Amino acid sequence: MKLWKLMMAGVVALGLASAVVTAGPSTVTAQASDNITIDGKFSDWDNANLTTGNNEATFAMESNGKYVDVYVNMKYGQVPGYGDYIFTINNKTYHVWSGNIPSTVAKGDIKPITFSGGTYNTGDQYGTVAKGYITNDGTHSIAEFRVDLSMFGLTSSDNGEKVSMTNPNVGGTATTTVDDLSNKDVSADVTATSGVINGKAESSSKDTTTTDNNANNDNDNLNIKIDGKYEDWKNVTLTEGYGGYTAMVSDGDKVYVFAKMKYGQVPKVGYKFEFNGKQIWAWATDIPDTIVKNGEATEVNFYAGNTEQDYNANADYGKVGVGYVSSDSEGHSIIEFEIDTGKLKLSSMTGQTITMNNASIGNEKVTVAGGSTGPYVIAGIGVLIAGFGYWRLRKSGKLKRRQDQMSGK
């Protein structure tokens, strides 16, 4: 009987582990609104709660299912595109911008516009996140557009969260709440008499397990490959510093780092890692002095040591990783590299908290947890207990007798 209970305890432990792994977030449901239609006709904004910004510009924002609708009316100048519409939801920041707003629109004309979304100004990690229209009433440049919140990786668990939006070229802040991210009604389409733009986006390009606004990544490296191609970083949130942006993920054996500069070349030295408080510095002195041409990539070697100044290949840990330096289409210098933590003489990566920053990029740190095995350890113990109990019962002959009793023999 004791052995049978032991085996059952193992099965229960295994079941509890499965529950830990598969449990999902709770869902809050909110009522969707359909008062606004993005159709190039702006009269439905007449009763909206308008916010007055700089130079007497007015704007508003309304929830509409999984979307938020935005209205901008400029007293002077054109509706901004590159002005960076900054959305904040649940303490996370998303940047929305347009590269196809015309420099001028004739009176009465209605032009379709699209917006990209990213983790920084002009970033496009989230792809096309909004569509709408711009016009001119003879005095003012006016636009309306619909932002698909699901493109940011938001889910129904974010329903009810506050949404704030600002634009430095408009001024002020408009606010609303996440309405109902499960709403995919036909009424959410973006339409106009001059054509049809489907406002329904495809599934989000942003992985739902990525970081918060401090870029604290989970253990999954999100299929990052260090090869000089940077598309695989699009699902990882970047942390902004005064000189650029950084991100880091880990698979328990290596840490993977991405950096993009606002100005100038990525730094050769000064990459400071902390492993549960232990400081290790990394560098790649073969990083070119000038920005690498877009579409090309230069391989570099990373070395590491216990002090910041000892930048040589014979330092404490020698060569610990490789990386690639390139640039994007706008000329920003980019680097991605990996550090093999097995070469850093650490006792174990399990449970380690890893941070990294480079003072030339910013003081902000990115953080990951290295090698956490959590529920899988529990599951392993459950299998071991169950297996041991089964072996003892079978060896003693009690298992066969219990099976015979259950079958009525």
Side-chain angles (χ1 to χ4, degrees):
M1 179 61 70
K2 289 183 179 180
L3 286 173
W4 184 262
K5 290 181 178 180
L6 180 65
M7 189 168 70
M8 290 301 102
V11 173
V12 170
L14 184 60
L16 288 174
S18 298
V20 171
V21 174
T22 59
S26 60
T27 300
V28 179
T29 302
Q31 181 63 41
S33 171
D34 59 358
N35 295 326
I36 301 297
T37 302
I38 305 301
D39 55 4
K41 302 175 183 178
F42 302 93
S43 59
D44 46 359
W45 290 98
D46 290 346
N47 297 321
N49 183 21
L50 297 177
T51 298
T52 301
N54 300 335
N55 300 319
E56 302 180 41
T58 56
F59 60 105
M61 183 167 59
E62 299 281 350
S63 291
N64 193 335
K66 68 170 183 172
Y67 307 91
V68 290
D69 297 328
V70 177
Y71 170 84
V72 182
N73 187 320
M74 303 295 291
K75 185 170 184 179
Y76 310 105
Q78 182 69 299
V79 169
Y82 284 105
D84 192 13
Y85 298 86
I86 304 171
F87 289 80
T88 302
I89 306 168
N90 198 16
N91 295 320
K92 300 177 183 179
T93 300
Y94 308 94
H95 298 257
V96 175
W97 58 278
S98 176
N100 69 345
I101 288 182
S103 58
T104 58
V105 177
K107 179 181 177 181
D109 281 356
I110 300 174
K111 303 289 187 180
I113 53 178
T114 59
F115 293 77
S116 298
T119 57
Y120 54 87
N121 189 4
T122 73
D124 58 2
Q125 290 85 352
Y126 306 121
T128 300
V129 299
K131 298 180 181 181
Y133 293 92
I134 186 170
T135 190
N136 191 305
D137 65 1
T139 305
H140 302 152
S141 174
I142 306 170
E144 64 176 359
F145 56 92
R146 174 161 290 164
V147 181
D148 186 343
L149 298 179
S150 69
M151 295 299 291
F152 299 139
L154 302 182
T155 67
S156 295
S157 63
D158 293 298
N159 289 346
E161 291 289 347
K162 178 181 176 181
V163 182
S164 66
M165 184 208 72
T166 187
N167 185 301
N169 292 322
V170 179
T173 302
T175 61
T176 184
T177 58
V178 178
D179 199 341
D180 183 4
L181 282 158
S182 65
N183 177 23
K184 299 180 181 179
D185 292 339
V186 175
S187 61
D189 286 351
V190 180
T191 62
T193 56
S194 58
V196 176
I197 299 178
N198 188 351
K200 294 180 181 178
E202 299 298 327
S203 60
S204 172
S205 63
K206 177 178 168 56
D207 194 302
T208 57
T209 63
T210 54
T211 71
D212 61 17
N213 61 316
N214 293 316
N216 297 318
N217 282 301
D218 65 13
N219 211 42
D220 188 352
N221 76 344
L222 302 176
N223 297 315
I224 298 298
K225 184 178 180 181
I226 305 302
D227 56 5
K229 302 174 183 178
Y230 307 102
E231 293 82 3
D232 46 359
W233 287 96
K234 68 181 181 180
N235 295 329
V236 183
T237 298
L238 302 180
T239 291
E240 182 176 5
Y242 52 78
Y245 310 86
T246 53
M248 180 171 64
V249 296
S250 173
D251 60 7
D253 298 318
K254 295 180 179 180
V255 290
Y256 305 86
V257 177
F258 174 89
K260 175 179 178 177
M261 303 302 292
K262 295 178 180 178
Y263 321 101
Q265 178 69 305
V266 291
K268 297 182 179 184
V269 300
Y271 298 90
K272 183 175 72 173
F273 292 83
E274 294 185 31
F275 297 84
N276 275 4
K278 180 181 179 180
Q279 292 186 3
I280 295 177
W281 300 83
W283 58 87
T285 55
D286 54 350
I287 289 177
D289 294 324
T290 57
I291 296 177
V292 178
K293 184 186 299 184
N294 175 241
E296 299 179 1
T298 298
E299 184 176 358
V300 296
N301 298 302
F302 271 82
Y303 300 84
N306 293 321
T307 58
E308 181 180 3
Q309 290 77 23
D310 189 13
Y311 299 129
N312 66 79
N314 297 318
D316 302 280
Y317 307 107
K319 182 178 176 180
V320 296
V322 297
Y324 288 89
V325 181
S326 186
S327 65
D328 64 12
S329 59
E330 297 178 343
H332 298 117
S333 181
I334 297 174
I335 189 171
E336 64 171 359
F337 64 91
E338 63 185 24
I339 299 295
D340 185 347
T341 57
K343 297 182 179 181
L344 300 180
K345 302 177 183 178
L346 301 169
S347 58
S348 172
M349 283 296 293
T350 302
Q352 291 269 11
T353 297
I354 309 165
T355 66
M356 191 283 301
N357 78 293
N358 189 305
S360 296
I361 303 175
N363 295 321
E364 295 75 12
K365 296 180 179 180
V366 286
T367 306
V368 294
S372 174
T373 53
Y376 304 101
V377 172
I378 299 174
I381 292 172
V383 171
L384 182 62
I385 293 173
F388 176 74
Y390 177 83
W391 175 78
R392 287 292 305 274
L393 282 171
R394 183 170 181 175
K395 184 176 181 181
S396 67
K398 293 180 180 179
L399 180 63
K400 186 177 187 304
R401 290 197 297 271
R402 177 174 290 274
Q403 291 172 338
D404 290 344
Q405 291 171 0
M406 294 177 66
S407 62
K409 294 181 180 179

